[in-house]
Amino acid sequence: MTLARFVDPLPLPALAKPVGQRSHPAYPGKPLPFYRMEMRAFKTQLHRDLPATPMWGYGGSFPGPTLMARRNEPVLIEWANALPDKHFLPIDHSIHGAERDKPEVRTVAHVHGARTTADSDGYPEAWFAPGRSLVSHYPNAQDAATLWYHDHAMGITRLNIYAGLLGAYLIEDDAEHVLNLPAGDCDLPLILCDRLIARSGELYYPVSDDPDAPWVSECNGNAILCNGKLFPFLEVEPRRYRIRLINAANTRFYELSLSGGVPFQQIASDQGLLAAPLSRAHVTLYPAERAEVVIDFSGMDGKQVQLRQQAEAIMEFRVRDRGRKDTSAVPSTLRSIERLAAASAVRDRVLTLGEQDDAGGSPMMMMLGGKHWSAPVTEDPRQNTTEIWSMVNLTGDAHPMHLHLVRFQVLERRPFDLFAWNESKTLKYTGPAIPPDPEEMGWKDTVRADPGMVTRIIARFEGEPGRYVWHCHLLEHEDNEMMRPFQLLPA
Ligand code: C2O
Ligand code: CU
């Protein structure tokens, strides 16, 4: 299928607007801005020359409207499921949590990277069926960052997100404002995801050859969508732009670059600003990771710059001067990031990322700490303590590991002896520790755990006690047991 490139303008998701004010028991006597995000089915064209495809989206759009929050200004969001009763993608009823006794369509929204209470965190089993809704509250008591919201329903998250249930959630704060980074219409989210598109223009999701167990272990697309369009273009002025890259793909990691050797100035990662901007020819993003980059188009009037995923151009920037002056800046220091000391950790949890044959060898599933989702909680950090989690990857693939509730820092990756582990469960390192890459030196909430490596992270477990989750963000893995609850115990 050859499609004309760069004929559709890049869609910019609408800004979500509160529909009123409401009070909430967590904020007595203080009415809060109240948003309503309705999940609806609709049809949309992914490219000018393709017929429209069915999709699902928050606010009836894909990506959903962008939520803009300010630090320490809490908001309420009613997530309302107005979807049909039947799913349009292939459910695997043999997967835990997606059995036939459950409603086929179930949703629960999670704001990825947000610190809220357990009842507002989108716990996978807190799903609700069409006709129902759930009000969640978000304190936004955290640093400015590019977060995103998406579905998290047990056993069908991969299908719900693939259907289109995702959007950007941005937090801004004063510390960031004084930096005078590019703002207004020169600050935009760019949400990347893979989809499989048939000649008919319709989305489809792959299936295994077992009709009773259609789950597949990964889903890479034949099309890379930018804010929901295939090969879009964006008219820009010859000045700086702040682009908030979000990898919302089920499986694919992106290795992005710009044509003509134009560099990215990376200014932020998952949980906000880096200490200093980093000039980079390539930006790599694993599923759920974010990077904010500044691209400087000054002096390029009349030119085109293409955004590439590896060798393929996926989007085009067209530079046209409209006579506006650029008064923005990219200061050489963005903020100070205090490193968490390994010595401050009260515990170092060794947790495996493994594959297991279920019963007779198939289907495959992935597990954390050798345990199923439904096994009793084993990760139970105490509120306000610091822990190290050493994730031992026993598989042949990299897994993007995500913890809810907390931000963390990457300590190191270190090669280990897989044979020794399999023999006697002893952790034998086979080489020196590799420090995190420069772009991993900021605050993170998702980290690439490489094969053959122990990936060690450190976090201070601040937040309200309760039940949260940690999981692989390859959505196919997450849905099939590569997710575990964790319990934050009161101090
Ligand atoms: Cu992006 Cu548990 O989620
Ligand atoms: Cu995984």
Side-chain angles (χ1 to χ4, degrees):
M1 177 163 49
T2 334
L3 285 167
R5 295 197 178 214
F6 318 128
V7 293
D8 289 291
L10 177 77
L12 292 172
L15 270 195
K17 295 246 173 356
V19 292
Q21 295 210 317
R22 287 252 185 124
S23 21
H24 186 276
Y27 308 84
K30 183 182 171 195
L32 301 179
F34 180 78
Y35 293 81
R36 192 161 191 280
M37 296 290 257
E38 195 174 79
M39 300 162 230
R40 286 198 299 269
F42 60 98
K43 283 191 132 198
T44 189
Q45 278 179 287
L46 301 176
H47 182 279
R48 182 196 69 185
D49 300 332
L50 286 174
T53 179
M55 289 203 73
W56 291 356
Y58 297 97
S61 69
F62 163 64
T66 300
L67 284 152
M68 280 290 301
R70 276 195 70 79
R71 184 187 180 117
N72 293 329
E73 291 182 10
V75 299
L76 301 176
I77 304 178
E78 179 180 21
W79 304 98
N81 182 341
L83 295 167
D85 291 316
K86 287 264 159 251
H87 216 295
F88 72 103
L89 297 173
I91 292 183
D92 184 334
H93 294 287
S94 74
I95 281 184
H96 178 78
E99 297 83 359
R100 288 191 191 275
D101 61 346
K102 313 246 171 14
E104 195 170 300
V105 175
R106 298 172 284 117
T107 60
V108 62
H110 166 63
V111 179
H112 181 119
R115 187 201 293 164
T116 182
T117 55
D119 60 355
S120 288
D121 193 48
Y123 195 70
E125 289 172 342
W127 49 260
F128 45 95
R132 307 213 158 242
S133 71
L134 179 74
V135 177
S136 297
H137 71 95
Y138 302 93
N140 299 315
Q142 57 188 94
D143 292 350
T146 298
L147 312 182
W148 63 298
Y149 62 93
H150 60 71
D151 187 69
H152 220 303
M154 197 74 205
I156 54 170
T157 294
R158 70 194 183 292
L159 305 175
N160 286 351
I161 294 182
Y162 194 86
L165 292 172
L166 59 97
Y169 187 112
L170 313 180
I171 300 182
E172 45 179 19
D173 67 13
D174 295 336
E176 180 193 70
H177 270 200
V178 299
L179 298 177
N180 190 29
L181 294 163
D185 61 353
C186 298
D187 172 1
L188 47 118
L190 184 53
I191 304 177
L192 305 175
C193 62
D194 266 47
R195 292 294 180 270
L196 285 158
I197 308 175
R199 281 174 183 279
S200 63
E202 293 199 2
L203 276 194
Y204 67 97
Y205 185 89
V207 287
S208 73
D209 44 26
D210 179 353
D212 293 324
W215 176 82
V216 291
S217 63
E218 53 181 50
C219 171
N220 289 304
N222 58 6
I224 295 169
L225 305 181
C226 302
N227 288 351
K229 281 280 181 205
L230 183 51
F231 304 131
F233 70 87
L234 177 69
E235 276 202 10
V236 295
E237 294 171 62
R239 51 163 294 152
R240 293 185 196 91
Y241 280 75
R242 175 184 188 174
I243 313 264
R244 301 165 183 262
L245 299 164
I246 300 174
N247 183 346
N250 282 40
T251 306
R252 171 111 48 203
F253 70 92
Y254 296 112
E255 213 163 38
L256 306 167
S257 62
L258 296 167
S259 62
V262 176
F264 297 111
Q265 290 279 108
Q266 186 174 347
I267 55 168
S269 61
D270 301 341
Q271 287 280 322
L273 294 171
L274 299 173
L278 280 174
S279 182
R280 308 185 64 197
H282 296 267
V283 167
T284 303
L285 284 182
Y286 273 70
E289 285 188 310
R290 286 88 70 207
E292 293 182 30
V293 295
V294 171
I295 307 177
D296 190 352
F297 297 104
S298 62
M300 292 190 220
D301 186 24
K303 298 216 166 68
Q304 279 85 254
V305 176
Q306 289 163 356
L307 175 67
R308 295 181 177 144
Q309 148 61 7
Q310 293 177 342
E312 190 191 12
I314 57 171
M315 178 187 159
E316 184 169 86
F317 296 97
R318 290 184 192 154
V319 191
R320 301 282 178 272
D321 198 350
R322 284 194 250 130
R324 267 201 305 178
K325 220 168 130 249
D326 187 0
T327 54
S328 71
V330 182
S332 56
T333 304
L334 299 168
R335 66 159 157 174
S336 70
I337 293 176
E338 191 202 328
R339 295 294 292 171
L340 297 179
S344 67
V346 297
R347 185 145 184 189
D348 184 345
R349 295 179 193 267
V350 176
L351 298 157
T352 56
L353 319 181
E355 279 170 13
Q356 170 169 309
D357 279 338
D358 196 27
S362 85
M364 290 286 280
M365 57 178 68
M366 320 271 168
M367 298 210 290
L368 300 175
K371 293 199 162 55
H372 289 275
W373 163 260
S374 54
V377 174
T378 38
E379 287 70 65
D380 56 352
R382 201 163 281 286
Q383 191 183 23
N384 300 330
T385 64
T386 300
E387 293 199 356
I388 293 171
W389 287 23
S390 296
M391 296 182 280
V392 184
N393 188 345
L394 308 176
T395 76
D397 302 303
H399 302 270
M401 299 305 303
H402 170 48
L403 273 68
H404 283 211
L405 184 69
V406 291
R407 59 180 188 175
F408 57 74
Q409 291 176 351
V410 184
L411 287 175
E412 62 186 35
R413 294 186 180 84
R414 194 162 182 192
F416 72 101
D417 184 341
L418 182 59
F419 185 77
W421 179 274
N422 287 338
E423 276 295 277
S424 57
K425 302 275 172 293
T426 44
L427 197 49
K428 226 175 92 192
Y429 289 112
T430 56
I434 302 163
D437 300 327
E439 71 277 11
E440 294 181 311
M441 293 295 281
W443 290 103
K444 299 275 293 163
D445 57 44
T446 306
V447 64
R448 184 188 86 239
D450 285 329
M453 294 277 181
V454 179
T455 300
R456 302 182 73 223
I457 60 169
I458 184 166
R460 195 170 149 77
F461 283 83
E462 289 167 343
E464 290 303 312
R467 181 76 49 102
Y468 302 88
V469 300
W470 67 289
H471 58 89
C472 174
H473 221 290
L474 285 192
L475 303 180
E476 286 67 32
H477 296 181
E478 168 182 349
D479 267 349
N480 200 359
E481 300 289 343
M482 206 168 186
M483 175 164 71
R484 287 281 293 155
F486 80 79
Q487 184 79 25
L488 184 66
L489 302 174

